[in-house]
């Protein structure tokens, strides 16, 4: 029952970590293909050095090793330069790569009098447990197919020994190999999923403000670098809390932190999931709205902030009213430095709002820059 639950959870995790799984499989398949090319090269050298006397078709074995080496190099090139840019095909192509490799190995060792592919197949099969993760059912079917073919070929080559203890043990060994390979694949997949989760947590913490959970400045700059490559109109809303220093000095930093968290929650609830809400530091917040239909929707959101942000904090010397001053800047995302140009313009507009008496919104214009 626990095994079934594990497999079900792995299926869910495979979808959850799909981008990471594809990136891992693509990278490891490149290494795996190069290793197989080296293996076939060494095998070719060994054939020539030892010149197996019991090989039925020595020249055919040599040519097949060359074909296998060329195929491995071809798979490496495909994964590095072609499949990597087509993520939906990565896992399926990896399964095909491993399956054809196992089939070619079977064909290769049919050329020898002694059936010696067993040890090599064990090594290759166990290696594949580490190269393909997250797709236990497909992996099991692939390995089962390869081992079943291995058993059929062995039985056909040794018909007179089918009822002997040696052959029965051989078939049982293949079953054990299947169980071990699938178990290794499951365990390694679980370990990789845990690693992916830790990486996501580390990335999340590195991109987030420790107090509010909003994006930090570094993450916002990275997001806007992506926007620079796209052709769309975007806007930046820069807001600074009014009287925040007085709140900190009068009621302490704990009250100030609660105020920042409250404002952060309200900002997150007011904007789209595609918008970037960020705390730059102190009492300064930024919202970047990509792909906007026009300036009116941005101005509407800014006015909504002015309506919802004001908060009263009672103190012994009288209540402290927290409001905000807002600056808005618009730009096409093909600007040379989108973050810098938008921030400078929005900052200029925000200070204009401060000079007008706070708790207001100003849209950047060239006249403002000239005045400042």
């Amino acid at each position: 029952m626990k095994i079934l639950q594990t497999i079900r959870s792995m299926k869910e995790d495979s979808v959850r970590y799909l981008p990471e799984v594809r990136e891992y499989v693509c990278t490891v398949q490149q290494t795996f293909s190069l290793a197989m090319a080296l293996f076939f090269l060494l095998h070719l050298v060994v054939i020539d050095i030892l010149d197996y006397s019991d090989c039925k078709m020595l020249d055919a074995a040599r040519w097949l090793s060359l074909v296998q080496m060329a195929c491995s190099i071809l798979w490496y090139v495909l994964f590095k330069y072609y499949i990597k840019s087509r993520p939906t095909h990565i896992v399926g192509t990896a399964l095909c790569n491993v399956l054809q490799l196992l089939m070619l190995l079977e064909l290769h060792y049919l050329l020898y009098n002694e059936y010696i592919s067993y040890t090599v197949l064990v090594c290759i099969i166990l290696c594949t447990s580490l190269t393909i993760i997250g797709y236990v059912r497909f992996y099991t079917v692939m390995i089962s197919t390869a081992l079943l073919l291995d058993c059929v070929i062995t039985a056909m080559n040794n018909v007179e020994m089918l009822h002997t203890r040696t052959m029965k043990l051989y078939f049982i060994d293949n079953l054990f190999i299947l169980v071990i390979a699938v178990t290794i694949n499951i365990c390694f997949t679980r370990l990789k999923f845990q690693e992916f989760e830790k990486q996501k947590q580390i990335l999340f913490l590195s991109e987030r403000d420790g107090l509010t959970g909003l994006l930090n400045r570094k993450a916002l700059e990275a997001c806007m670098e992506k926007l620079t490559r796209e052709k769309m109109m975007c806007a930046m809303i820069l807001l600074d809390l009014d009287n925040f220093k007085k709140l900190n000095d009068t009621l302490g930093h704990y009250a100030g932190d609660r105020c920042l968290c409250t404002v952060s929650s309200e900002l997150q609830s007011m904007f789209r999931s595609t918008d970037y809400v960020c705390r730059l530091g102190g009492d300064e917040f930024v919202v970047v709205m990509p792909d906007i239909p026009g300036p009116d929707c941005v101005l509407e959101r800014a006015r909504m902030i002015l309506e919802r942000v004001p908060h009263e904090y009672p103190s012994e010397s009288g209540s402290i009213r927290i409001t905000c001053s807002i600056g808005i800047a618009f730009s096409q995302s093909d600007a040379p430095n989108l973050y810098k140009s938008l921030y400078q313009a929005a900052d200029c507009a925000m200070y204009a709002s401060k000079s007008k008496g706070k708790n207001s919104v100003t849209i950047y214009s060239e006249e403002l820059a000239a005045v400042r």
Side-chain angles (χ1 to χ4, degrees):
M1 194 69 180
K2 287 184 177 180
I3 295 176
L4 292 175
Q5 290 176 351
T6 300
I7 293 176
R8 287 195 198 99
S9 66
M10 286 177 64
K11 184 178 178 181
E12 295 172 359
D13 287 341
S14 297
V15 176
R16 183 181 179 187
Y17 302 115
L18 188 57
E20 290 85 356
V21 168
R22 287 172 173 170
E23 182 180 357
Y24 170 83
V25 170
C26 187
T27 302
V28 178
Q29 280 294 311
Q30 293 177 39
T31 306
F32 181 68
S33 298
L34 275 182
M36 290 301 100
L38 179 61
F39 166 78
F40 294 129
L41 175 62
L42 292 174
H43 191 267
L44 192 62
V45 172
V46 169
I47 289 177
D48 283 332
I49 291 176
L50 299 182
D51 193 13
Y52 289 110
S53 58
D54 58 348
C55 181
K56 296 177 183 178
M57 302 172 65
L58 182 59
D59 290 336
R62 288 169 176 163
W63 277 108
L64 192 54
S65 290
L66 281 172
V67 170
Q68 289 173 314
M69 185 171 64
C71 285
S72 296
I73 294 174
L74 177 62
W75 281 106
Y76 169 79
V77 173
L78 282 174
F79 275 104
K80 187 173 180 64
Y81 299 105
Y82 183 76
I83 303 297
K84 192 172 184 179
S85 60
R86 292 162 176 78
T88 54
H89 304 305
I90 286 176
V91 177
T93 309
L95 290 167
C96 292
N97 177 26
V98 175
L99 187 58
Q100 65 85 27
L101 173 65
L102 296 174
M103 299 303 182
L104 281 175
L105 279 171
E106 285 288 348
L107 179 61
H108 187 100
Y109 284 102
L110 276 176
L111 300 174
Y112 294 92
N113 291 332
E114 291 187 26
Y115 191 78
I116 58 174
S117 67
Y118 184 75
T119 304
V120 177
L121 275 174
V122 171
C123 296
I124 299 299
I125 287 170
L126 295 183
C127 283
T128 61
S129 301
L130 309 180
T131 63
I132 300 174
I133 61 171
Y135 290 80
V136 179
R137 290 182 300 169
F138 296 112
Y139 177 78
T140 303
V141 169
M142 181 191 69
I143 296 298
S144 300
T145 302
L147 288 176
L148 180 61
L149 180 64
D150 186 73
C151 290
V152 170
I153 293 175
T154 304
M156 291 174 62
N157 287 345
N158 302 274
V159 177
E160 69 285 353
M161 298 177 59
L162 282 179
H163 300 290
T164 63
R165 182 174 179 272
T166 302
M167 288 302 295
K168 291 177 182 178
L169 288 174
Y170 182 86
F171 297 142
I172 292 172
D173 285 346
N174 266 354
L175 179 61
F176 283 149
I177 292 171
L178 173 63
V179 173
I180 291 171
V182 173
T183 302
I184 290 175
N185 182 260
I186 291 174
C187 294
F188 192 74
T189 296
R190 295 302 299 172
L191 289 173
K192 291 305 294 184
F193 284 167
Q194 291 175 10
E195 182 181 329
F196 292 153
E197 183 61 30
K198 289 180 180 178
Q199 288 174 351
K200 282 192 171 185
Q201 290 175 358
I202 293 171
L203 182 62
F204 178 84
L205 293 173
S206 67
E207 292 180 339
R208 299 286 166 168
D209 174 60
L211 177 63
T212 63
L214 299 180
L215 294 174
N216 57 27
R217 186 189 297 266
K218 181 180 178 182
L220 181 64
E221 290 179 0
C223 292
M224 296 194 72
E225 279 184 18
K226 296 178 183 177
L227 292 178
T228 306
R229 307 186 197 107
E230 302 172 7
K231 302 286 184 180
M232 64 177 70
M233 187 176 184
C234 57
M236 176 180 284
I237 302 174
L238 178 64
L239 63 103
D240 186 85
L241 298 183
D242 304 321
N243 304 318
F244 183 76
K245 185 177 184 304
K246 183 178 180 182
L247 175 67
N248 264 341
D249 294 342
T250 305
L251 298 180
H253 288 87
Y254 179 74
D257 288 348
R258 279 192 303 142
C259 175
L260 293 174
C261 291
T262 302
V263 173
S264 299
S265 300
E266 289 173 343
L267 288 176
Q268 285 181 307
S269 66
M270 279 187 273
F271 289 90
R272 305 170 297 178
S273 59
T274 54
D275 297 332
Y276 304 112
V277 184
C278 166
R279 180 190 173 209
L280 295 181
D283 59 343
E284 193 173 51
F285 296 86
V286 164
V287 181
V288 175
M289 301 178 65
D291 196 18
I292 56 173
D296 291 342
C297 67
V298 181
L299 191 57
E300 179 187 347
R301 295 290 174 181
R303 287 169 178 164
M304 190 183 299
I305 296 173
L306 292 179
E307 292 174 2
R308 294 178 56 176
V309 164
H311 296 283
E312 298 283 345
Y313 291 87
S315 68
E316 294 180 357
S317 59
S319 63
I320 302 172
R321 180 176 170 80
I322 298 295
T323 58
C324 63
S325 299
I326 299 177
I328 300 176
F330 298 95
S331 175
Q332 294 292 332
S333 61
D334 56 355
N337 189 328
L338 185 60
Y339 173 78
K340 183 178 179 181
S341 60
L342 275 179
Y343 180 78
Q344 288 177 343
D347 186 59
C348 179
M350 187 267 292
Y351 274 101
S353 295
K354 291 271 189 186
S355 63
K356 287 191 297 186
K358 304 179 180 180
N359 194 29
S360 61
V361 57
T362 304
I363 298 177
Y364 175 78
S365 63
E366 295 295 335
E367 290 78 9
L368 284 178
V371 171
R372 191 175 178 187

